[in-house]
Amino acid sequence: MEEKTITQVPKPIILKLGGSVISIKNKSFALNKRAIMRLAKEIERADVSSLIIVHGGGSFGHPVAKQYKIDEGYKDSSQIIGFSKTHQAMTILNKHVTDSLINRKIPAVEIQPSSIIITRSGRIHIMEERPLTRLLELGFIPILYGDAVPDSSNGFAILSGDQLVSQLAIRLNVDRIIMGVDVDGLYTADPKACPSARLLQHITLQQLKKLRKNIEKTNATDVTGGMLGKILELIPALEHRVNVRIVNALKPGNVYRALKGEVVGTFIEKG
Ligand code: IP8
Protein backbone atom coordinates (compact mmCIF):
# COMPACT_ATOMS: atom_id res chain seq x y z
CA MET A 1 0.00 0.00 0.00
CA GLU A 2 1.14 3.52 -0.77
CA GLU A 3 2.45 5.41 2.26
CA LYS A 4 0.52 8.57 3.12
CA THR A 5 2.74 11.60 2.64
CA ILE A 6 2.74 13.89 5.62
CA THR A 7 3.43 17.58 5.48
CA GLN A 8 5.88 19.12 7.95
CA VAL A 9 4.18 19.66 11.31
CA PRO A 10 4.90 22.58 13.65
CA LYS A 11 6.85 21.89 16.84
CA PRO A 12 4.45 20.41 19.38
CA ILE A 13 3.57 21.86 22.76
CA ILE A 14 3.56 19.46 25.72
CA LEU A 15 0.83 20.01 28.27
CA LYS A 16 1.16 18.17 31.58
CA LEU A 17 -1.99 17.84 33.63
CA GLY A 18 -0.98 17.15 37.20
CA GLY A 19 -2.63 14.32 39.10
CA SER A 20 -3.70 16.81 41.77
CA VAL A 21 -5.61 18.75 39.10
CA ILE A 22 -7.54 15.92 37.45
CA SER A 23 -8.14 13.91 40.63
CA ILE A 24 -8.88 14.65 44.27
CA LYS A 25 -5.53 13.85 45.75
CA ASN A 26 -6.43 12.76 49.27
CA LYS A 27 -9.37 10.55 48.26
CA SER A 28 -8.56 7.26 46.51
CA PHE A 29 -9.90 6.93 42.97
CA ALA A 30 -11.73 10.26 43.11
CA LEU A 31 -11.91 12.21 39.86
CA ASN A 32 -12.02 15.98 39.59
CA LYS A 33 -14.64 15.72 36.86
CA ARG A 34 -15.33 19.44 36.72
CA ALA A 35 -11.66 20.26 36.19
CA ILE A 36 -11.29 17.58 33.50
CA MET A 37 -14.32 18.86 31.59
CA ARG A 38 -13.28 22.50 31.88
CA LEU A 39 -9.73 21.69 30.75
CA ALA A 40 -11.07 19.83 27.71
CA LYS A 41 -13.03 22.96 26.85
CA GLU A 42 -9.96 25.17 27.25
CA ILE A 43 -7.87 22.84 25.08
CA GLU A 44 -10.58 22.86 22.41
CA ARG A 45 -10.83 26.67 22.51
CA ALA A 46 -7.04 27.15 22.29
CA ASP A 47 -6.98 24.99 19.14
CA VAL A 48 -3.18 24.61 19.00
CA SER A 49 -1.82 22.99 15.87
CA SER A 50 0.35 20.34 17.53
CA LEU A 51 -0.11 19.11 21.08
CA ILE A 52 0.93 16.21 23.32
CA ILE A 53 -0.83 15.72 26.65
CA VAL A 54 0.74 13.88 29.59
CA HIS A 55 -1.09 13.42 32.87
CA GLY A 56 -0.10 12.37 36.34
CA GLY A 57 -1.31 9.61 38.64
CA GLY A 58 -3.03 11.54 41.43
CA SER A 59 -5.28 9.46 43.66
CA PHE A 60 -5.45 6.70 41.02
CA GLY A 61 -1.88 5.52 40.35
CA HIS A 62 -0.06 6.68 43.47
CA PRO A 63 -1.91 4.87 46.28
CA VAL A 64 -1.80 1.55 44.41
CA ALA A 65 1.88 1.94 43.48
CA LYS A 66 2.65 2.75 47.11
CA GLN A 67 0.64 -0.19 48.47
CA TYR A 68 2.62 -2.66 46.34
CA LYS A 69 5.95 -0.78 46.51
CA ILE A 70 6.14 -0.75 42.73
CA ASP A 71 8.58 2.18 42.82
CA GLU A 72 11.06 -0.01 44.76
CA GLY A 73 11.29 -2.52 41.91
CA TYR A 74 10.64 -6.26 41.93
CA LYS A 75 11.20 -7.82 45.35
CA ASP A 76 8.69 -10.65 45.44
CA SER A 77 5.91 -12.17 43.38
CA SER A 78 3.14 -10.54 45.46
CA GLN A 79 3.96 -7.27 43.70
CA ILE A 80 3.13 -8.65 40.26
CA ILE A 81 -0.60 -8.12 40.64
CA GLY A 82 0.22 -4.68 42.08
CA PHE A 83 1.97 -3.70 38.84
CA SER A 84 -1.14 -4.73 36.89
CA LYS A 85 -3.40 -2.82 39.29
CA THR A 86 -1.23 0.31 39.12
CA HIS A 87 -1.31 0.29 35.34
CA GLN A 88 -5.03 -0.45 35.41
CA ALA A 89 -5.62 2.51 37.74
CA MET A 90 -3.81 4.75 35.27
CA THR A 91 -5.81 3.46 32.31
CA ILE A 92 -9.04 4.17 34.23
CA LEU A 93 -7.94 7.76 34.93
CA ASN A 94 -6.74 8.12 31.36
CA LYS A 95 -10.05 6.93 29.97
CA HIS A 96 -11.86 9.77 31.75
CA VAL A 97 -9.43 12.37 30.42
CA THR A 98 -9.44 10.94 26.89
CA ASP A 99 -13.25 10.62 26.84
CA SER A 100 -13.72 14.24 27.85
CA LEU A 101 -11.38 15.36 25.04
CA ILE A 102 -13.03 13.17 22.41
CA ASN A 103 -16.45 14.42 23.54
CA ARG A 104 -15.27 17.88 22.49
CA LYS A 105 -14.10 16.46 19.15
CA ILE A 106 -10.44 16.69 20.12
CA PRO A 107 -8.71 13.75 18.37
CA ALA A 108 -6.93 12.38 21.45
CA VAL A 109 -5.30 8.96 21.21
CA GLU A 110 -3.95 7.19 24.27
CA ILE A 111 -0.42 5.83 24.13
CA GLN A 112 0.41 3.49 26.99
CA PRO A 113 3.90 4.32 28.30
CA SER A 114 4.29 0.73 29.61
CA SER A 115 4.00 -0.52 26.02
CA ILE A 116 6.61 1.79 24.46
CA ILE A 117 9.11 2.39 27.29
CA ILE A 118 11.64 0.34 29.26
CA THR A 119 13.48 2.12 32.04
CA ARG A 120 16.88 1.24 33.49
CA SER A 121 17.08 1.94 37.25
CA GLY A 122 13.99 4.10 36.89
CA ARG A 123 15.31 6.24 34.03
CA ILE A 124 13.93 6.04 30.48
CA HIS A 125 16.27 3.78 28.54
CA ILE A 126 14.30 2.52 25.54
CA MET A 127 11.40 4.44 24.06
CA GLU A 128 9.63 3.64 20.79
CA GLU A 129 8.42 7.07 19.82
CA ARG A 130 7.53 6.40 16.18
CA PRO A 131 3.80 5.69 16.73
CA LEU A 132 3.65 8.95 18.64
CA THR A 133 5.39 11.07 16.00
CA ARG A 134 3.34 9.45 13.27
CA LEU A 135 0.10 10.25 15.12
CA LEU A 136 1.27 13.83 15.59
CA GLU A 137 1.99 14.14 11.88
CA LEU A 138 -1.54 13.00 11.14
CA GLY A 139 -2.99 15.67 13.45
CA PHE A 140 -3.84 13.50 16.44
CA ILE A 141 -3.23 14.54 20.03
CA PRO A 142 -1.28 11.76 21.73
CA ILE A 143 -2.09 11.39 25.39
CA LEU A 144 0.31 9.65 27.76
CA TYR A 145 0.65 9.39 31.53
CA GLY A 146 2.88 8.41 34.41
CA ASP A 147 2.82 4.61 34.48
CA ALA A 148 4.19 1.40 35.91
CA VAL A 149 6.77 0.29 33.35
CA PRO A 150 9.19 -2.62 32.82
CA ASP A 151 12.70 -1.84 34.07
CA SER A 152 15.79 -3.66 32.78
CA SER A 153 17.65 -3.63 36.11
CA ASN A 154 14.89 -3.61 38.73
CA GLY A 155 12.11 -5.62 37.07
CA PHE A 156 9.73 -2.71 37.04
CA ALA A 157 9.56 0.93 38.04
CA ILE A 158 7.25 3.90 38.34
CA LEU A 159 7.80 6.33 35.53
CA SER A 160 6.57 9.77 36.50
CA GLY A 161 4.69 11.89 34.01
CA ASP A 162 7.32 14.55 34.64
CA GLN A 163 10.25 12.40 33.53
CA LEU A 164 8.19 11.47 30.50
CA VAL A 165 7.49 15.15 29.71
CA SER A 166 11.18 16.03 29.94
CA GLN A 167 12.26 13.13 27.71
CA LEU A 168 9.57 13.77 25.11
CA ALA A 169 10.56 17.43 25.04
CA ILE A 170 14.16 16.50 24.23
CA ARG A 171 13.48 13.64 21.82
CA LEU A 172 10.75 15.44 19.87
CA ASN A 173 12.35 18.87 20.10
CA VAL A 174 9.15 20.48 21.30
CA ASP A 175 8.25 24.15 21.29
CA ARG A 176 7.51 24.48 25.01
CA ILE A 177 6.24 22.70 28.10
CA ILE A 178 3.20 23.78 30.11
CA MET A 179 2.98 22.20 33.55
CA GLY A 180 -0.59 22.43 34.86
CA VAL A 181 -0.37 22.08 38.64
CA ASP A 182 -2.51 22.91 41.72
CA VAL A 183 -0.50 25.95 42.86
CA ASP A 184 0.10 29.29 41.13
CA GLY A 185 3.63 28.44 40.01
CA LEU A 186 7.00 27.95 41.53
CA TYR A 187 7.60 29.40 44.98
CA THR A 188 10.69 30.12 47.03
CA ALA A 189 9.41 27.41 49.44
CA ASP A 190 6.44 25.04 49.64
CA PRO A 191 3.47 27.48 49.76
CA LYS A 192 1.25 24.90 51.50
CA ALA A 193 3.64 24.63 54.42
CA CYS A 194 5.21 28.08 54.46
CA PRO A 195 2.90 31.14 54.22
CA SER A 196 5.81 33.51 53.55
CA ALA A 197 6.72 31.62 50.34
CA ARG A 198 7.02 34.00 47.36
CA LEU A 199 5.82 33.23 43.82
CA LEU A 200 8.56 33.42 41.20
CA GLN A 201 7.37 34.79 37.86
CA HIS A 202 10.52 34.35 35.82
CA ILE A 203 13.62 32.35 36.63
CA THR A 204 16.57 30.92 34.81
CA LEU A 205 17.89 27.39 35.01
CA GLN A 206 20.82 28.56 37.11
CA GLN A 207 18.49 30.22 39.63
CA LEU A 208 16.35 27.10 39.64
CA LYS A 209 19.32 24.93 40.53
CA LYS A 210 20.07 27.18 43.51
CA LEU A 211 16.45 27.10 44.58
CA ARG A 212 15.90 23.38 44.42
CA LYS A 213 17.12 22.68 47.93
CA ASN A 214 14.40 25.01 49.28
CA ILE A 215 11.53 23.24 47.59
CA GLU A 216 10.08 20.65 49.86
CA LYS A 217 8.20 17.53 48.91
CA THR A 218 4.54 18.51 48.80
CA ASN A 219 2.80 15.24 49.60
CA ALA A 220 3.99 12.17 51.45
CA THR A 221 1.81 9.80 49.38
CA ASP A 222 3.35 10.99 46.11
CA VAL A 223 5.91 8.32 45.30
CA THR A 224 7.58 10.54 42.69
CA GLY A 225 8.27 13.48 44.98
CA GLY A 226 5.68 16.19 44.30
CA MET A 227 6.98 19.60 43.26
CA LEU A 228 10.63 18.79 43.96
CA GLY A 229 10.44 15.79 41.63
CA LYS A 230 8.80 17.95 38.95
CA ILE A 231 11.50 20.59 39.03
CA LEU A 232 14.38 18.15 39.00
CA GLU A 233 12.87 16.28 36.07
CA LEU A 234 12.51 19.43 33.99
CA ILE A 235 16.19 20.34 34.18
CA PRO A 236 17.27 18.18 31.18
CA ALA A 237 14.55 19.79 29.01
CA LEU A 238 15.61 23.26 30.15
CA GLU A 239 19.26 22.40 29.37
CA HIS A 240 17.94 21.54 25.91
CA ARG A 241 16.53 25.11 25.68
CA VAL A 242 12.89 24.07 25.98
CA ASN A 243 11.07 26.75 28.00
CA VAL A 244 8.73 25.72 30.79
CA ARG A 245 5.63 27.42 32.13
CA ILE A 246 4.18 26.32 35.44
CA VAL A 247 0.53 27.31 35.75
CA ASN A 248 -2.31 26.72 38.16
CA ALA A 249 -4.59 24.50 36.10
CA LEU A 250 -7.28 24.57 38.80
CA LYS A 251 -7.91 28.24 37.96
CA PRO A 252 -10.20 28.57 34.92
CA GLY A 253 -8.59 30.10 31.85
CA ASN A 254 -4.94 29.56 32.83
CA VAL A 255 -4.29 26.55 30.61
CA TYR A 256 -6.03 28.27 27.70
CA ARG A 257 -3.87 31.37 28.19
CA ALA A 258 -0.67 29.35 28.50
CA LEU A 259 -1.54 27.38 25.34
CA LYS A 260 -2.03 30.70 23.54
CA GLY A 261 1.46 31.77 24.61
CA GLU A 262 0.63 34.10 27.48
CA VAL A 263 2.88 34.00 30.50
CA VAL A 264 0.88 32.97 33.54
CA GLY A 265 2.45 31.54 36.69
CA THR A 266 6.17 30.86 36.49
CA PHE A 267 8.24 31.04 33.33
CA ILE A 268 11.52 29.09 33.38
CA GLU A 269 14.17 29.30 30.67
CA LYS A 270 17.79 28.31 30.26
CA GLY A 271 18.80 31.98 30.21
O1 IP8 B 1 1.88 11.61 39.05
C1 IP8 B 1 3.10 8.69 38.49
O2 IP8 B 1 3.02 9.83 37.66
P1 IP8 B 1 3.14 11.31 38.28
C2 IP8 B 1 2.17 7.60 37.98
O3 IP8 B 1 3.33 12.20 37.11
C3 IP8 B 1 1.98 6.45 38.89
O4 IP8 B 1 4.33 11.32 39.20
C4 IP8 B 1 1.64 5.18 38.27
C5 IP8 B 1 2.06 6.50 40.21
Side-chain angles (χ1 to χ4, degrees):
M1 218 206 327
E2 203 183 301
E3 224 181 76
K4 189 170 178 339
T5 326
I6 308 294
T7 46
Q8 198 64 34
V9 285
K11 281 178 158 196
I13 295 173
I14 299 184
L15 171 64
K16 165 95 196 276
L17 299 176
S20 50
V21 171
I22 56 173
S23 74
I24 314 290
K25 239 193 157 178
N26 47 17
K27 204 169 154 210
S28 278
F29 285 81
L31 274 184
N32 188 341
K33 250 195 178 136
R34 276 178 72 172
I36 294 175
M37 281 163 63
R38 174 183 50 76
L39 287 163
K41 222 189 264 184
E42 291 187 33
I43 293 164
E44 180 195 23
R45 192 155 72 95
D47 192 27
V48 296
S49 47
S50 186
L51 181 67
I52 300 168
I53 297 173
V54 176
H55 67 79
S59 61
F60 284 70
H62 284 283
V64 190
K66 198 177 158 78
Q67 184 190 348
Y68 290 93
K69 298 189 169 68
I70 302 303
D71 57 314
E72 292 176 20
Y74 181 88
K75 294 203 158 74
D76 65 70
S77 59
S78 69
Q79 291 171 292
I80 293 289
I81 192 67
F83 180 99
S84 299
K85 285 185 178 178
T86 305
H87 173 69
Q88 181 193 37
M90 291 310 301
T91 62
I92 293 168
L93 179 57
N94 178 264
K95 183 172 170 7
H96 289 286
V97 180
T98 306
D99 284 354
S100 69
L101 293 168
I102 293 176
N103 285 343
R104 302 211 71 90
K105 307 232 169 356
I106 299 166
V109 176
E110 178 214 4
I111 294 185
Q112 296 189 345
S114 53
S115 306
I116 60 160
I117 292 169
I118 299 175
T119 52
R120 183 157 66 192
S121 300
R123 310 304 303 169
I124 293 174
H125 174 51
I126 294 168
M127 175 152 94
E128 174 51 89
E129 62 231 18
R130 282 172 294 183
L132 198 157
T133 50
R134 188 71 177 156
L135 287 168
L136 271 179
E137 286 167 355
L138 288 162
F140 290 101
I141 298 185
I143 172 158
L144 301 92
Y145 42 87
D147 202 1
V149 295
D151 185 284
S152 55
S153 30
N154 300 332
F156 43 68
I158 292 296
L159 169 67
S160 74
D162 303 316
Q163 187 190 153
L164 188 52
V165 164
S166 210
Q167 270 300 309
L168 288 171
I170 295 166
R171 289 172 187 240
L172 305 181
N173 197 25
V174 305
D175 182 65
R176 61 183 188 273
I177 295 171
I178 300 167
M179 300 293 287
V181 295
D182 63 343
V183 289
D184 285 341
L186 186 61
Y187 286 81
T188 48
D190 178 1
K192 287 172 188 157
C194 174
S196 64
R198 203 165 39 81
L199 179 72
L200 297 157
Q201 284 179 325
H202 182 188
I203 59 163
T204 62
L205 176 58
Q206 208 186 358
Q207 290 165 325
L208 175 69
K209 284 181 179 169
K210 278 193 200 146
L211 189 81
R212 75 176 168 198
K213 353 182 186 40
N214 302 341
I215 299 167
E216 297 299 328
K217 294 187 177 186
T218 54
N219 190 333
T221 64
D222 185 336
V223 290
T224 49
M227 189 55 96
L228 175 65
K230 265 184 227 314
I231 303 310
L232 299 182
E233 288 298 355
L234 296 179
I235 289 175
L238 284 158
E239 301 272 18
H240 200 79
R241 297 209 169 272
V242 178
N243 296 337
V244 175
R245 287 160 171 82
I246 302 179
V247 303
N248 191 337
L250 285 174
K251 291 194 176 160
N254 274 354
V255 164
Y256 168 79
R257 289 168 62 201
L259 286 169
K260 292 307 248 183
E262 270 184 60
V263 176
V264 264
T266 303
F267 178 67
I268 317 173
E269 62 181 340
K270 187 168 185 194

